Amino acid sequence: MLSARPHSNPSRRHRFRTALLGTLSLLTPPLTGGASLLLLTAPAARAAQPGLGSVQLTFSVDSADLYVNGAPQRWQNPPRNIAGRTMLPLREAAALLGQPLQTSGTQVQLARLSLDTRRNTATLNGSAQPTGTVASVGLVTYVSARALADALNGNLSGDDRTFTLTALRDGGNPMSPQARFSTDKNTYAPGERVVYTEYPFDPDGADITARRWTGRQDAYFQPGTYTVTLTVTNSRGLQSQPFTRTIRVEGQPIDTPLTYALKYAQPGDAFPDPQILTYPAALISPQASPSYPLLFSDSPEIPDQSGVLYQDSVTGRARLLGYHLNGLGRAARLYVVARNLESRPVEVRSERLGETAPTRIESILGQVTLLEYFASTGGTTLTLAPGQSAAVYASPTLSAGSGVNVMQDLSTSGRVELTFVMLDDTLPPTPQVIQQLPYLKPDGRHTRGTFPDAVRTLRVTLGALPTRLIIGDGRVDPAVTGTDVLTGQPVRLSGNYGVLYDLEVNGAAGTAVALSPRGGLYRGAMNIQDGPITQTIKLPRSGNALKPDEPVLLWRPQSDRLNIDFVPSSGSNLPISLIFYRAGRAGAEGGVIKTYRP
C-alpha cells in the first residue's frame, strides 16, 4: 500500500509536483464539462469531460486542492492517511472520475469493487480486501486509493504525499440519451447574461422528453466559480448521466439583479427590488365613464345548507361575482338564476364569463377565473318570457369542501331578478324549489351586496421614474361602497374584488411595468393593450407572488399609450402596486444587451 511519510523532503515534493503538473498541462487541456451520477455527486466535484478517454486526478493527502486533467479543483473532503493507507472520499472520487455508483441500502458498487458502508468492508471481484480498505470519517465514506485504482483497472503512482490516479471513464448505457450544452463563453462579469445552447441527443433518435438543470442561472452576480449540470430523459424513460460545465465569474459588474431584470426578464418573471416603497406615487386622475353595477356574493362564504346567497334586480349591463365553498357536507352546485320581471320577453346575454370550479385550492380560484374571463369572447343569449326563470350560470358539481369562483358580465333588454343559490346536487334550480329556499344570513366576516361602480377608469401621465401606482389599499384607492339589498345595510368592498380598473398610462414607451404584492400572496392576471398588441399576462408565470420586494414583470410597452385592464383576483391579497421603471437598453446602465435566445 502507498502511504504518506511525515518527514519527507518539502523541496523534493515541490519539484515533483511542478514537473508533474507541467507535463499534465501539455498532455491534457483544461476540463470544461463532464458527466457524473447526480444523486451521489458532491457539489464541488466535477466529473470528467465525456470526450476524454482517461481521467487523471492529481492530489495530495490532507489538501483540498487537486487537479483533474490539469484543471484545478477542490475537494469538499480532502484525501486522508488512515492507518497507513492513502484514502479518498468515495462519492467525490467517483464523481470526479465519471464513475456511477450503484447503491442498495448500505451496499455500494463501484465498477469491480463492492463495499458495505455499515461494516466498512470491501470485495474486489468477489475477493475480500484487507481490513482498512474502507473507513468512515464522520458521515463520509473513504476508500483506499489503491483499491479504487484496481477496481477501475487504473494506475496509481506517487511520491510522498502527492499522487496521480489515472482511469478510463465509464462507458455508460449505450441506450441512454446524452446530455449536452454549451455557454457562449467560459468567464463572465458579474451580472452578465449567460447564453446556454442545448444540444442533447438520443442514440436511436428517441425524443428528449425531460430536462433537469442544477446550478443554472441566467446571470451570476457574485464573483466565484459555478458548476452547471444538465440531465435529460428520453421517451423510453432512460436518463442520461449528468453533463457538467464550470463558469467563472470575475471582474467589474455589468448589471445588478434589478438592471438585469429590466433588460431581460419576461412577463410573469419576478425580480428583486427592495426600494419599491421609496418610489413616489404616480398622480392618478379618475375619469367619468359609463359604468354598471357589481353584484357580489361571498357571504356566507361557506354555506352549510341549500339556500339563497344573494339576490337583486338589474336592467342593462351588470357584473356578477360569486365566491363560495361547499359546506353542505355532500355534493352541491352554485347557480345564478335570472327571472324576467317585465310584462314582455327579455333577452339576457352573457358577454364575458370566467370560472374556476371545482377546486380545493383557494389560491388558484381567482387566477383561473380571470384568465378565462379575459379570454372569453361572448356567449349565449337567453330569451325569457314574462315571469320565466332560467340559470345564466350553473357550476360543475362541487364535492364537500371544494369551491367555485365565477365572474360574469351580463346585458339585459329589460329588468331581471338575479339570484345566487347553493343547492344540494339532487335539487333542480326551478322556481318552485327556489321559492321554498331560506335566505341565508351573512357570516359576518365576508361581503355581499350590490355596488354601483363595477368599472373604475383612471388616467396616469408618467413623469420621473421609477414611480408606483397603488391599487386596493383603501386610502389612495378607496374601497367601493354599496348596499346589501337583502338586509338594507350599507356595505364596503375591501380590496375592490370584481371591480375592473380601466387604466390608461401615457408616456409609457420605453418603460417596464411590474406588479408588487403588498398584502401577501397574490395570483392573478391582467390584460394589456399596447398599440396593436393585446395580451393577457399570467401573474406570476408560475407559483405565487409573495414578497413585496420581488415585483413581477408585466410588460415593456412599445407604444406611448398603454391600456391595462386589471381586476383584483379573488383568493389573493390586496393591496398591490404597479411599478413603472425605465426599461433597460443598450448604452444605458449595464451596457449592451445580448439578444440571442437559442
Side-chain angles (χ1 to χ4, degrees), residues 58 98 102 150 167 171 199 203 288 325 354 358 372 383 412 452 481 494 522 596:
T58 301
Q102 298 178 2
D150 291 344
Y199 43 95
L325 304 178
E372 284 289 305
T383 300
T412 72
T481 57
S494 297
Y522 192 86
Y596 179 59

Side-chain angles (χ1 to χ4, degrees), residues 271-321:
F271 56 90
D273 183 5
Q275 303 300 316
I276 288 175
L277 292 181
T278 67
Y279 301 151
L283 183 60
I284 301 172
S285 175
Q287 303 290 305
S289 63
S291 191
Y292 43 90
L294 165 67
L295 276 63
F296 188 87
S297 178
D298 183 30
S299 185
E301 187 172 279
I302 310 176
D304 58 6
Q305 66 178 104
S306 296
V308 174
L309 299 164
Y310 189 62
Q311 186 180 74
D312 197 1
S313 61
V314 300
T315 302
R317 297 190 67 191
R319 175 170 301 129
L320 316 178
L321 194 149

Side-chain angles (χ1 to χ4, degrees), residues 464-497:
L465 300 176
T467 189
R468 58 194 174 108
L469 190 156
I470 302 167
I471 293 176
D473 70 333
R475 296 188 301 273
V476 175
D477 178 37
V480 295
T481 57
T483 303
D484 179 348
V485 299
L486 297 182
T487 64
Q489 296 297 313
V491 287
R492 181 175 179 270
L493 184 56
S494 297
N496 290 345
Y497 297 101

Side-chain angles (χ1 to χ4, degrees), residues 113-114 151 292 403 515 564:
L113 188 65
S114 301
Y292 43 90
L515 178 146
I564 301 174

